[in-house]
Amino acid sequence: MGDLIGELLHDIAARPIAFSAEVVQSMLLIAVVVWAGRKYAARRLAERRDRIAAELAGATSAEQEGMKLREEALAVAENAKTASAELLRSARDNAASEHLASEPEIDTAARQIVDKARSTVDAEKNHIRRDAADRLVRLTSEIARRYADEFLSESERRALTRKAIEAALEQMAPAAATREP
């Protein structure tokens, strides 16, 4: 090691101008690389920051849409509850007035009206639930897709997808076994 350092010092002492030129060239090369790297990195970081900000804005709007859908679903459910209460009240009033005329017909008609009101309310609730669930699934899958695209590599996304498919198949297997005669 000492020989190597001695040889190096000898080369420097023998050609000091060439050594100085090489040092200056090296510094210039390093300065150019640092300048270009900063310029490129700054642009890439700005682009990434803008993309992340846009995605956050999209996620915020999706969250707001989800809240809006939840509020709409609650309002529709409340309206359905109010409508069913009014329908039941109306049915009871009609039943009381017609009860005097013909008791067996009134009981049958009242039961039919109440059953129809319940089925209508149930159908509306189911429709609202399905619609809200579908929208929630779409929003969740979009957010998950964006998250996977941003933070997971292609191989990680494939592995995650394979695991999800295998889990779904495992859940379907017991259900299929119980249906088979």
Side-chain angles (χ1 to χ4, degrees):
M1 182 74 162
D3 293 337
L4 182 62
I5 293 173
E7 185 67 30
L8 180 63
L9 291 175
H10 180 301
D11 283 347
I12 293 171
R15 298 181 309 155
I17 294 175
F19 175 74
S20 298
E22 288 176 2
V23 168
V24 169
Q25 288 175 349
S26 297
M27 284 201 245
L28 283 175
L29 180 62
I30 290 171
V32 168
V33 168
V34 167
W35 175 79
R38 283 187 180 170
K39 185 176 181 181
Y40 176 75
R43 187 182 75 238
R44 293 272 303 179
L45 288 173
E47 289 171 359
R48 182 177 173 96
R49 182 185 62 237
D50 294 343
R51 188 178 75 236
I52 289 172
E55 288 177 2
L56 284 175
T60 301
S61 68
E63 183 178 357
Q64 290 173 349
E65 184 178 337
M67 296 292 280
K68 182 180 173 186
L69 289 175
R70 177 179 278 167
E71 290 172 2
E72 288 177 13
L74 290 174
V76 170
E78 187 62 34
N79 289 341
K81 189 184 281 185
T82 303
S84 68
E86 290 176 12
L87 189 57
L88 283 172
R89 192 177 320 113
S90 174
R92 287 184 184 136
D93 292 344
N94 288 340
S97 65
E98 290 180 11
H99 182 65
L100 299 174
S102 62
E103 194 169 32
E105 292 177 21
I106 292 173
D107 290 338
T108 305
R111 276 189 230 112
Q112 289 175 350
I113 291 171
V114 169
D115 291 342
K116 184 177 179 182
R118 284 186 182 138
S119 67
T120 301
V121 168
D122 290 341
E124 282 295 319
K125 284 181 182 179
N126 288 336
H127 176 71
I128 290 167
R129 284 182 187 134
R130 282 191 306 267
D131 187 46
D134 289 344
R135 288 183 180 185
L136 186 58
V137 165
R138 283 194 305 267
L139 288 173
T140 303
S141 64
E142 179 63 22
I143 290 169
R145 183 191 62 77
R146 287 183 181 176
Y147 178 79
D149 287 346
E150 179 67 23
F151 293 105
L152 299 178
S153 68
E154 184 66 23
S155 62
E156 289 172 325
R157 285 194 297 266
R158 284 189 197 130
L160 188 59
T161 303
R162 183 176 36 252
K163 285 180 184 178
I165 291 171
E166 289 171 356
L169 289 175
E170 288 175 7
Q171 287 179 350
M172 291 171 57
T178 58
R179 281 191 255 157
E180 291 181 11

